Amino acid sequence: MLLSTTLSILSVGAAYAQGLSSTLTQVKDFGPNPRNVSMYIYIPKKLAAKPPILVVPHWCHDTAQRAFQYRPYASESDKYGFISIYPDSPNKADQCWDVSSKDSLTHEGGGDALGIVSMVRWALKEYNADKDRVFVTGTSSGAMMTNVLLGSYPDVFAAGSAWAGVPFGCYAADGYGVWSDACATGKIVKSGSEWAEMVENAYPGYTGFRPKLQTFHGTADDIVYPQNLKEQVKQWTAVFNVSETPTDVTKDTPLLGWTRYRYGDKLEAYEAAGVPHDIPNQADVVMDFFDLRCTGDDCYGRNEQEKSW
């Protein structure tokens, strides 16, 4: 079974790539790219002096162009001057991301993950961008890649936002492949320490900054089962060394029937009651979590003091 989510995901959004100050542009020869991931970038005409970077990996059965069109981050970058990058999967059979190979799940190991990180590194140098304010957000397969990038490259990203995804390394537990039925249907259940070990093994010996994460899941998701939200919570609370008991619970946020659970200062999980796999993206929540509307000297980043909730 593969993710057939293109139409459903698009049905809950609108096309945003209209009235923009610039255009989506392909970049070639941007650095190490063992699986030939394609790079597309949006640079607003009014670019901030030291711009943040937002990476937006698409969902299965779709493209960088469609993620650009159906997510409002380019129009947001026109307002706030950040760079947005839209990788395009090299897997032409179904356009899903490689989130299970040892290459992608290892720091500097290769795979799709290294190709995407090379895009970030190229943009940091080309546009004098802010290395402490690099973020990633995706839905479905893009959410899975979000978890992978945070786990394999904690030295690159400041934060991630994952929508209807799975824990880091979950697909690898079922062997390498584009689709893991066992993971997707919630049959891969581990302790927090077991999940955390998978993240730690991605970058042995790393003791530096860990990116914060927000993750969202619908309780009626019958493609990527909601058990995966629980497994992500177990994984990242263990990585952050905080309790699995939430420190704050807020109902009906950002929408009626959604509940937000916060675990310390680095993890928040949203449970969307009755929502299926085509969970409606809430760009304002993502922008706020990343502090991407901030243009001053005290914006959230890897080297900034943690902001209180």
Side-chain angles (χ1 to χ4, degrees), residues 97-102 105 169-183 188 190 198:
W97 292 105
D98 158 29
V99 297
S100 61
S101 75
K102 182 176 175 61
L105 298 176
C170 186
Y171 268 34
D174 199 31
Y176 175 70
V178 172
W179 179 258
S180 167
D181 188 70
C183 176
I188 306 295
K190 297 179 180 292
M198 297 177 78

Side-chain angles (χ1 to χ4, degrees), residues 79-127:
K79 298 175 187 174
Y80 301 105
F82 62 86
I83 294 166
S84 50
I85 294 174
Y86 301 84
D88 199 71
S89 170
N91 184 3
K92 300 310 177 185
D94 49 38
Q95 290 292 112
C96 295
W97 292 105
D98 158 29
V99 297
S100 61
S101 75
K102 182 176 175 61
D103 294 344
S104 269
L105 298 176
T106 302
H107 185 75
E108 306 295 353
D112 289 357
L114 178 58
I116 293 172
V117 168
S118 291
M119 299 175 193
V120 170
R121 290 169 173 163
W122 179 89
L124 286 170
K125 183 177 180 180
E126 184 74 10
Y127 295 99

